[in-house]
Amino acid sequence: MEIWINPACSKCRSAISLLDAEGAEYTVRRYLEDVPSEDEIREVLDRLSLEPWDITRTQEAAAKELGLKEWARDDSSRDRWITALAEHPKLIQRPLITADDGSAVVGRTEDAVRDAMARK
């Protein structure tokens, strides 16, 4: 299992604390330093069964500067969103947990983190 975190994020710290308390084996990716490529973002989106706009933090300053709220949310705009996430990783919702079964979850709640741990 891998968890994408921003150490300054309270939801990320809570997820790590829960993983540690449960003795889960995982690796940490500080995705603001180890920025995911467009292909990695596509892979995580496939694993999440979500679209890029579903994992975009639209209240971030960079999102407002880019005008993301006005961007189309359709297949023809998908690559544009993915490029924006790769160029501005702070826009990526966190924490993202890739589970051992090939799926992924957005681990913003204790239930979501437990769900990731339960996937074999």
Side-chain angles (χ1 to χ4, degrees), residues 68-87:
L68 289 183
K69 285 195 175 192
E70 285 74 47
W71 287 15
R73 296 178 181 212
D74 56 27
D75 284 345
S76 65
S77 302
R78 191 171 199 264
D79 286 342
R80 181 181 186 199
W81 283 84
I82 291 170
T83 298
L85 292 174
E87 290 176 355

Side-chain angles (χ1 to χ4, degrees), residues 71-114:
W71 287 15
R73 296 178 181 212
D74 56 27
D75 284 345
S76 65
S77 302
R78 191 171 199 264
D79 286 342
R80 181 181 186 199
W81 283 84
I82 291 170
T83 298
L85 292 174
E87 290 176 355
H88 306 277
K90 196 167 191 175
L91 296 175
I92 299 171
Q93 189 58 265
R94 58 190 184 248
L96 290 178
I97 303 171
T98 55
D100 293 339
D101 70 352
S103 65
V105 299
V106 179
R108 295 192 56 78
T109 66
E110 184 175 320
D111 286 345
V113 176
R114 287 189 186 285

